[in-house]
Every structure is written in C-alpha cells, then in structure tokens.
Amino acid sequence: MASLILPTKQNPPSSSFLQRNHQNPLFFCKRRRILKKNQTLVPVARLFGPSIFEASKLKVLFLGVDEKKHPGNLPRTYTLTHSDITSKLTLAISQTINNSQLQGWYNKLYRDEVVAEWRKVKGNMSLHVHCHISGGHFLLDLCARLRFFIFSKELPLVLKAFAHGDGNLLKNYPELQEASVWVYFHSNIQEFNKVECWGPLKDAVGPLSTSSESTIVEDESSNWEVPKPCPEECACCFPPMSSIPWSHDLVRNQDDDGVTPNGLQQKA
C-alpha cells in the first residue's frame, strides 16, 4: 500500500522515488513541460526590463582584420547575431558582412541580426548601424511596431558588444570614441523606416558594466544630416562604397514643408 501513496507537501518524494522514476517517460515529459513553461517567462521579463551586457556571453571572431588597422584605411564591418537557445552573442569583425552567420531558416525568419560599418566621410569617422524591422515576409510586418521597440531598446547592448569586442581598436585609436553613431531602421512601413543619430559612440555606449535606458528626443534646431560621401573619388571618404547592401537613402527626400518624412532624430 505504501507504494500507492502519492508524493505531497506532507509526503515529499524520497531520493529513491526520484531515482526509480528518472527514466520514466511520463515523469520526464512532465518535468520538461514545466521547464518550458518557466523558460517563457525569461524573454518576457527581459523585454520590459533593463538591457544588461554580459561579456561572458559574447563570442568574437576576427576575420581578415586586426586591432592595428584604422577603419579609415581598411574596411571594418560588424555582424552581430544571437542564439535563443544558448543566449549567446556572436560578433564577427571583418571587412564585409559575414554572410555565413546569416544563413539558415532561423536567421531568415527572425531577421534579428545587426550589422554595422565604420565610414570616413569628408575626413570624419562615423559608425553606421543597420537593423531590419519589417519587409521580406508578412510575419515581420505584423509585428513591426514591437520589433522597432525591441531593436531600439536593445541597441545600447549592441553598441556595448561592438565596443567590448573591438576594445583593442578603440584603445589604439581613442578618437573613434568621438565618432557619431547613425542607426538605420529598415522597414516597408514608413513610420519605422528612419535614421536616428545617437551622438558620439562614448555617449551611446555608456559604462560597459551598467544597464542602459535611453529615450529619443527630437532636436529640430540641431539640423542633423546623415553624412554623405563626396560624389567623386577623393581621399577624404573611405570606403568609397558601403559594404552593407541595404538602402542608405532613408532620409534624403523631404516634404514641401522641409520636414523629412522618415523622421531624422537625435538620440539623447
């Protein structure tokens, strides 16, 4: 009869009970179902909580570049992806986008990669960051607003990953900390198809060990303009063409009243 007594709070399961049922399929399935239910709480809580950079979860790959070459002389591109299974980030630092990171059904379905490149325009260095919000398939279109919110919220973490992964470059060339950061949100919905200026990299990144909370503030008096390279070949612009094959013309057209329809904004 003792074997028919079910474990309760008053009668917790003994170690022998757990050992006997460890290989029981019903016991295993129930435990796995409970774990999955608990795991779903993690991304929901993190979505509305602070973004915290964890260096231990970042894997950095240097592909054909090192920390000695200034990005004003050798193209330098960042490709950042993450795994929902391991919660780890992979950052490839190379001369062009690391397309091998973007293969597979997961990346094509979720399009949650972030790519960026250093550019010298008219003698001034700047970091251009690109995020895909919507377009490509209807699932992205349905959740465009949520994706825009998530990308905006997680971008401080992304910039910290860039700064940490390429830390030796920034140590060798500290003036790059003053470079302006331009964030391109690519969307087939005009409301989310825009460019934001996040100011100098050192301000956009902030302390590497703390969480980041930021808000967008429009500044009409600052007259921010996306840096445009010279139309002809010159020595003050490099590379001559972007290594990121995404549109860079999100804010060039203007309405009759002079306001850019895609909303050029300054990140405070």
Side-chain angles (χ1 to χ4, degrees), residues 196-199 203-204 213-218 265-268:
E196 295 174 359
C197 178
W198 284 42
D203 296 337
E213 292 289 340
S214 304
T215 55
I216 299 172
V217 178
E218 291 190 21
Q265 297 176 314
Q266 179 187 4
K267 188 80 174 181

Side-chain angles (χ1 to χ4, degrees), residues 159-175:
L159 295 175
K160 289 178 182 180
F162 292 163
H164 181 84
D166 218 2
N168 287 334
L169 177 77
L170 298 178
K171 290 179 181 178
N172 292 335
Y173 303 101
E175 68 275 9

Side-chain angles (χ1 to χ4, degrees), residues 128-203:
H128 298 253
V129 184
H130 296 259
C131 311
H132 185 89
I133 302 300
S134 62
H137 59 79
F138 75 97
L139 292 177
L140 299 181
D141 301 345
L142 288 177
C143 53
R145 184 176 299 277
L146 178 61
R147 284 175 59 83
F148 180 79
F149 169 79
I150 293 175
F151 272 111
S152 298
K153 181 180 176 301
E154 298 292 337
L155 269 170
L157 182 148
V158 170
L159 295 175
K160 289 178 182 180
F162 292 163
H164 181 84
D166 218 2
N168 287 334
L169 177 77
L170 298 178
K171 290 179 181 178
N172 292 335
Y173 303 101
E175 68 275 9
L176 293 177
Q177 296 275 8
E178 303 292 337
S180 296
V181 177
W182 294 89
V183 182
Y184 298 72
F185 296 97
H186 298 265
S187 175
N188 59 346
I189 302 174
Q190 182 171 309
E191 179 182 358
F192 309 117
N193 194 56
K194 61 178 68 176
V195 179
E196 295 174 359
C197 178
W198 284 42
L201 177 62
K202 65 178 182 179
D203 296 337

